[in-house]
Amino acid sequence: MSSSFEKSVKGGTKVKLAPPKSKYVEHILLATQSGEAGVAEVFRTLTHRLRDSTWTVAFKSLIIVHLMIKEGAPDVTLSYLSAAPTHRLAINSFTDVQTQGHNIR
């Protein structure tokens, strides 16, 4: 069964070309108040959403991360990300595409 934070992340990162709804963002920001467990739950779902082939889903996921850093509990999101920066957001896989483009030149 999906958790409430997972439902909010999926709702806030829908395919629709519009900003994330405030009801989802506000609930996600509550995860920063609940400590590392809540933030970890949000990032587990965000990691899957960042791998989505639809650009709006991935872009909204990055917006959610930005809002968690900017408007969430101070330093909670940044300290979570800094604990294992290469594994938390799964953005290290994006370098493969850059390597391919480099080989074309």
Side-chain angles (χ1 to χ4, degrees), residues 45-99:
T45 308
L46 281 174
T47 300
H48 296 295
R49 303 301 275 177
L50 280 167
R51 293 180 183 150
D52 196 293
S53 61
T54 310
W55 72 269
T56 54
V57 173
F59 186 66
K60 285 182 178 184
S61 299
L62 293 173
I63 290 172
I64 297 290
V65 172
H66 172 76
L67 290 172
M68 287 176 70
I69 292 169
K70 183 179 175 191
E71 298 178 12
D75 298 328
V76 172
T77 304
L78 286 177
S79 62
Y80 179 79
L81 288 172
S82 67
T86 58
H87 295 90
R88 301 290 185 177
L89 279 179
I91 56 175
N92 55 341
S93 63
F94 294 146
T95 58
D96 294 341
V97 175
Q98 293 173 350
T99 304

Side-chain angles (χ1 to χ4, degrees), residues 3 6-7 12-14 16 21-23 28 34 37 59 67 70 72-73 78 80-81 85 87-91 101 105:
S3 68
E6 182 180 356
K7 184 177 178 181
T13 57
K14 289 182 180 176
K16 185 179 178 184
K21 290 187 178 180
S22 62
K23 67 179 182 179
I28 292 167
S34 66
F59 186 66
L67 290 172
K70 183 179 175 191
L78 286 177
Y80 179 79
L81 288 172
H87 295 90
R88 301 290 185 177
L89 279 179
I91 56 175
R105 291 184 201 165

